[in-house]
Amino acid sequence: MQTFTVSYQITCFEGETIHEKTKWICLEQSVELPEELVLPGILEKVIGRVKDINPISETSYLVDIEWPCDNIGHDRIQFLNVLFGNISLKPGIRILNVEWAKFAELFNGPAFGIRGIRQRRGIEKRPMACGVLKPMGLESDALAELAYDFSTGGIDFIKDDHSLADQVYAPFTDRVTSITTKLKHCEEEFGYRAHYYPNITGTPSQMKERYEMAKESGADGVMVLPHLSGFETMHELASSEIDLPIMAHPAFSGALVSAANHGFSPAFLYGELYRAFGADFTIYPNTGGRFSFSGQECIEINNCARTVSSPFKPMFPLPGGGMKRETIPHWVNEYGNDMVFLIGASLFQHPDGIQKAVRELIAVLETT
Amino acid sequence: MQTFTVSYQITCFEGETIHEKTKWICLEQSVELPEELVLPGILEKVIGRVKDINPISETSYLVDIEWPCDNIGHDRIQFLNVLFGNISLKPGIRILNVEWAKFAELFNGPAFGIRGIRQRRGIEKRPMACGVLKPMGLESDALAELAYDFSTGGIDFIKDDHSLADQVYAPFTDRVTSITTKLKHCEEEFGYRAHYYPNITGTPSQMKERYEMAKESGADGVMVLPHLSGFETMHELASSEIDLPIMAHPAFSGALVSAANHGFSPAFLYGELYRAFGADFTIYPNTGGRFSFSGQECIEINNCARTVSSPFKPMFPLPGGGMKRETIPHWVNEYGNDMVFLIGASLFQHPDGIQKAVRELIAVLETT
């Protein structure tokens, strides 16, 4: 029988024992019935099997459970369901790892990955930077002017702020057309333009239409919010014939990673799950910014995003959320060269304006 | 300017003050920039405004913030994003309430609701019961036999276990066809059959196909896992021309409700959000079962699901997760008549079999 292993950190609360709790998981995530109500032939075929239990403190354990691959079939929703469906409702269970090698066919992973993105961008080795078009409330023309400033400064990528959807301030089609047109002018004038990733939202059907529209209007990729639009929607776009890379944004993901003993480890969620589901870039909140991951957690996200011991192409880590332009050399030193740094407010804060701020930033990245 | 109000429970940790934290939310969920970097004309147009702050303990507060409706536009993804996008990554923020009246046009709510479901089922007033086809691992014929037993016992509804997707054990089309065929036989024999709700998964396109296929084969509704398939996918199905009611299942929702000071209140998530997004039934883990809500929390879920002070049709609460057939009179007394009780293992445990168990259960429901 083909199986795959999931690694958990399990915490026992008053009245719980690790053996009972792991056995409960083996039943709950398969037959969802007490053992005695299930025919033995079925039990053997479908329930999880505890492979390993290692204590890491008085109350918590690293646990490996082995599951039959047939429980998933060719269905990524059911994969997520076996991973963290009903057990999401039980405190003290955190997912650390999945044996991805067994899912090389179920998931397509990034369509481009680090190498593909570097080829498209024409930058071989240095770390890169991404600016953000914001705030919401600006009209399309103003956003296009901003894109022009970023682009003439020489930024590698620009993305919409994730709050730009289809508001009256700057409706989707109008915004994307204004910005891509302005960037074409930049290219005609200077022989260079930034690569632009609009944010796409809406129903699954609208997302497809916007993905196509982004391609047609000359955008270079799109941003998707997988926790809001659905992981399957992202996977479907990444697997489609339209060849636009995808940035995955962590909006709405916080509750999954904010408890130290529950949910997903940040490395698993932002580094592994986004990658399997087709993200070419994983956006995550960098340590020391407005949110609350540790430096070690960020390094682990980067490692998971880029490791070659995965059946999927490596993806770019894209840390943001309060990243300052002055500290970029430090982060390059910490995180390495296969990075795209997402810099928002800090570029707006330069006393001589965005263009100057971007020029200085790119000069720094070119010397690393 | 049209606005809507969101109510939060906000907890302050060391070094935080309630005024700074609420102001941060007002900026983070709109402009995502420090105030001084935003043009005043834009600020006035888009940022949140704190309406009310009421302490409920030394460190936590009930807070109302008012947001411009134009920040959402006609986009439900952006609605979720303003509700709990980036702030999901900040500890100590829990969503309690939204001024739904302002969203009567953005959301369609349940297509049928309690009244529509009662009409279809032909049961005017009494509480109802739903059985579960499980475990995963049974083949389609065995599941159909089980459906027949439930149906001849007189159960009101049957649903697939949420682990039944499209596995080799019982592939979707094969399973749904076998079960609906068997239920037709039951109707021919006895003039009665249970209403059957298969579980639909897959990509958004596959979900649509399966929704249509369920209708064509004579199923009476479907079950959807909105946290896995995406809320927009559920809303799109509920709003489509195919007239099949939807049960929403809470798989993968746990991290959103398991911290007392973060995420969503259970009543908001299972009672209000599922309803806006088109669920006719909200499945949630009942108190005292395998999961961990309080009795009061369950009552609040029921109240939110059924209240008439909502722009959307009332939906059926469908508590499950360890519900015992013997305790049904107690729950009817606690929760009222507009309920469907989801009873899994307990019906399988009856010494005289499922048919007998169901007969006794329905007899109890008929006398309430």
Side-chain angles (χ1 to χ4, degrees):
Chain A
M1 182 165 72
Q2 278 277 337
T3 61
F4 67 98
T5 299
V6 179
S7 303
Y8 308 79
Q9 177 194 325
I10 297 182
T11 306
C12 289
F13 302 107
E14 217 185 307
E16 292 181 336
T17 71
I18 186 65
H19 291 283
E20 280 167 11
K21 194 158 181 174
T22 49
K23 189 171 179 188
W24 180 84
I25 293 172
C26 292
L27 293 166
E28 185 67 29
Q29 296 298 95
S30 58
V31 292
E32 238 194 284
L33 279 172
E35 205 168 355
E36 65 274 15
L37 293 180
V38 184
L39 296 171
I42 302 289
L43 264 191
E44 283 158 26
K45 207 164 58 171
V46 305
I47 66 163
R49 270 186 187 74
V50 178
K51 272 174 69 180
D52 213 3
I53 299 181
N54 285 303
I56 47 173
S57 77
E58 263 186 45
T59 53
S60 76
Y61 303 82
L62 291 181
V63 174
D64 280 351
I65 298 178
E66 195 176 44
W67 300 94
C69 291
D70 277 351
N71 288 11
I72 307 289
H74 199 80
D75 192 322
R76 289 168 296 273
I77 296 293
Q78 172 62 4
F79 169 87
L80 291 171
N81 197 20
V82 167
L83 200 64
F84 202 59
N86 274 5
I87 56 168
S88 73
L89 288 150
K90 188 89 171 172
I93 301 172
R94 193 179 222 209
I95 308 292
L96 303 180
N97 226 319
V98 160
E99 194 185 353
W100 290 108
K102 300 292 174 68
F103 296 107
E105 284 174 25
L106 181 59
F107 293 91
N108 292 329
F112 303 91
I114 290 182
R115 218 172 136 191
I117 299 290
R118 283 198 176 281
Q119 279 171 352
R120 291 186 153 222
R121 186 56 285 191
I123 293 171
E124 251 184 71
K125 283 197 178 148
R126 71 164 170 85
M128 298 188 279
C130 180
V132 187
L133 300 179
K134 57 167 130 179
M136 160 167 59
L138 290 181
E139 297 185 356
S140 299
D141 286 350
L143 292 167
E145 283 301 330
L146 203 52
Y148 185 80
D149 287 347
F150 275 116
S151 187
T152 53
I155 199 119
D156 304 301
F157 301 95
I158 324 169
K159 72 169 197 68
D160 284 347
D161 197 23
H162 77 292
S163 63
L164 303 185
D166 190 34
Q167 295 97 336
V168 283
Y169 314 133
F172 179 79
T173 305
D174 187 55
R175 177 174 87 244
V176 174
T177 311
S178 300
I179 292 167
T180 51
T181 305
K182 198 79 186 176
L183 289 173
K184 277 173 210 154
H185 293 165
C186 180
E187 190 159 25
E188 284 157 16
E189 267 182 274
F190 303 102
Y192 177 84
R193 69 168 176 82
H195 279 194
Y196 169 51
Y197 283 59
N199 178 36
I200 61 172
T201 59
T203 64
S205 321
Q206 283 172 325
M207 300 253 319
K208 254 193 210 174
E209 285 165 22
R210 290 183 187 179
Y211 191 56
E212 283 174 21
M213 190 270 156
K215 172 74 187 176
E216 278 163 23
S217 77
D220 303 281
V222 296
M223 183 164 74
V224 169
L225 319 176
H227 295 271
L228 294 175
S229 297
F231 277 87
E232 267 301 73
T233 302
M234 183 164 82
H235 193 271
E236 203 168 36
L237 297 179
S239 309
S240 79
E241 284 173 11
I242 298 164
D243 62 334
L244 281 192
I246 292 173
M247 291 178 176
H249 188 286
F252 207 79
S253 68
L256 271 170
V257 292
S258 57
N261 62 12
H262 195 243
F264 293 171
S265 72
F268 178 76
L269 178 61
Y270 304 121
E272 300 189 15
L273 204 67
Y274 283 19
R275 184 173 170 179
F277 273 97
D280 296 287
F281 304 78
T282 177
I283 301 174
Y284 69 85
N286 195 31
T287 187
R290 304 194 300 275
F291 306 100
S292 20
F293 293 140
S294 71
Q296 185 53 34
E297 282 172 320
C298 294
I299 287 172
E300 285 164 14
I301 295 171
N302 300 340
N303 290 345
C304 287
R306 300 180 304 200
T307 178
V308 292
S309 66
S310 158
F312 315 117
K313 291 178 186 159
M315 69 176 168
F316 267 118
L318 188 49
M323 184 147 262
K324 306 230 173 294
R325 59 184 197 279
E326 302 84 358
T327 60
I328 288 300
H330 167 75
W331 295 117
V332 173
N333 195 42
E334 286 283 300
Y335 293 166
N337 267 22
D338 276 337
M339 296 297 297
V340 180
F341 295 103
L342 183 61
I343 308 182
S346 173
L347 293 177
F348 290 81
Q349 281 161 332
H350 194 290
D352 301 328
I354 283 176
Q355 208 192 47
K356 187 71 191 306
V358 172
R359 277 198 192 132
E360 289 176 7
L361 171 67
I362 298 298
V364 167
L365 292 172
E366 281 174 343
T367 60
T368 58
Chain B
M1 184 165 69
Q2 277 279 337
T3 61
F4 67 97
T5 299
V6 180
S7 304
Y8 308 80
Q9 176 194 327
I10 297 182
T11 306
C12 290
F13 302 108
E14 216 186 309
E16 291 181 335
T17 70
I18 187 64
H19 290 283
E20 280 166 12
K21 195 160 182 173
T22 49
K23 188 170 180 191
W24 180 85
I25 294 173
C26 292
L27 292 166
E28 185 66 29
Q29 296 297 95
S30 58
V31 292
E32 238 194 284
L33 278 172
E35 204 168 355
E36 63 275 15
L37 293 178
V38 184
L39 296 171
I42 302 289
L43 264 190
E44 283 158 26
K45 206 164 59 170
V46 304
I47 66 164
R49 270 188 187 73
V50 178
K51 272 173 70 181
D52 213 2
I53 299 182
N54 285 304
I56 47 174
S57 78
E58 262 185 46
T59 53
S60 76
Y61 303 82
L62 291 182
V63 174
D64 280 352
I65 298 179
E66 194 176 44
W67 300 95
C69 292
D70 277 350
N71 288 11
I72 308 288
H74 200 80
D75 192 322
R76 289 168 295 273
I77 296 292
Q78 173 61 3
F79 169 87
L80 291 172
N81 198 20
V82 167
L83 199 65
F84 202 58
N86 275 4
I87 57 168
S88 73
L89 288 150
K90 188 90 172 172
I93 302 172
R94 194 177 222 209
I95 309 291
L96 303 179
N97 226 318
V98 160
E99 194 186 353
W100 290 108
K102 300 292 174 67
F103 296 107
E105 284 174 26
L106 181 59
F107 293 90
N108 292 330
F112 303 91
I114 290 181
R115 217 172 137 191
I117 299 290
R118 283 198 177 282
Q119 277 171 352
R120 291 187 155 221
R121 186 58 283 190
I123 293 172
E124 251 184 70
K125 282 197 178 152
R126 71 162 169 87
M128 297 187 279
C130 179
V132 187
L133 300 178
K134 56 168 135 180
M136 160 165 62
L138 289 181
E139 297 185 356
S140 299
D141 286 351
L143 292 166
E145 283 302 330
L146 203 52
Y148 185 81
D149 286 348
F150 275 116
S151 187
T152 52
I155 198 117
D156 304 301
F157 301 95
I158 324 169
K159 72 170 196 69
D160 284 346
D161 197 23
H162 77 292
S163 63
L164 303 185
D166 190 35
Q167 295 97 335
V168 283
Y169 314 133
F172 178 78
T173 306
D174 186 57
R175 177 173 87 244
V176 175
T177 312
S178 300
I179 293 167
T180 51
T181 306
K182 197 80 187 175
L183 290 173
K184 277 171 212 157
H185 293 165
C186 181
E187 190 158 25
E188 284 157 18
E189 267 181 274
F190 304 101
Y192 177 85
R193 68 167 175 82
H195 279 193
Y196 168 51
Y197 284 59
N199 179 36
I200 62 172
T201 60
T203 64
S205 320
Q206 282 172 326
M207 300 253 317
K208 253 192 210 175
E209 285 164 23
R210 291 184 187 178
Y211 191 55
E212 282 175 22
M213 190 270 156
K215 173 73 187 177
E216 279 163 24
S217 77
D220 303 280
V222 295
M223 183 166 73
V224 169
L225 319 176
H227 295 271
L228 294 175
S229 297
F231 277 87
E232 267 300 74
T233 303
M234 183 163 83
H235 193 271
E236 202 168 37
L237 297 179
S239 310
S240 78
E241 284 173 11
I242 298 165
D243 62 334
L244 281 192
I246 292 174
M247 291 179 175
H249 188 285
F252 206 78
S253 68
L256 271 171
V257 292
S258 57
N261 62 12
H262 194 243
F264 293 171
S265 72
F268 178 76
L269 179 61
Y270 304 120
E272 299 189 16
L273 204 66
Y274 283 19
R275 182 173 172 180
F277 273 97
D280 296 287
F281 303 79
T282 178
I283 300 175
Y284 69 85
N286 195 31
T287 188
R290 306 195 298 277
F291 306 99
S292 18
F293 293 139
S294 71
Q296 186 53 34
E297 282 172 320
C298 294
I299 287 172
E300 285 165 14
I301 295 171
N302 300 340
N303 290 346
C304 287
R306 299 180 303 200
T307 177
V308 292
S309 65
S310 157
F312 315 117
K313 289 178 186 158
M315 69 175 168
F316 267 118
L318 188 49
M323 185 146 261
K324 306 229 173 297
R325 59 183 197 280
E326 303 84 357
T327 59
I328 289 299
H330 166 75
W331 295 118
V332 172
N333 196 40
E334 286 284 300
Y335 293 165
N337 267 22
D338 276 337
M339 296 296 296
V340 181
F341 295 102
L342 183 61
I343 308 182
S346 173
L347 292 178
F348 291 80
Q349 281 161 333
H350 194 290
D352 301 328
I354 283 177
Q355 208 191 48
K356 187 74 191 305
V358 172
R359 277 199 191 130
E360 290 175 8
L361 172 66
I362 298 297
V364 167
L365 292 173
E366 281 174 341
T367 59
T368 59

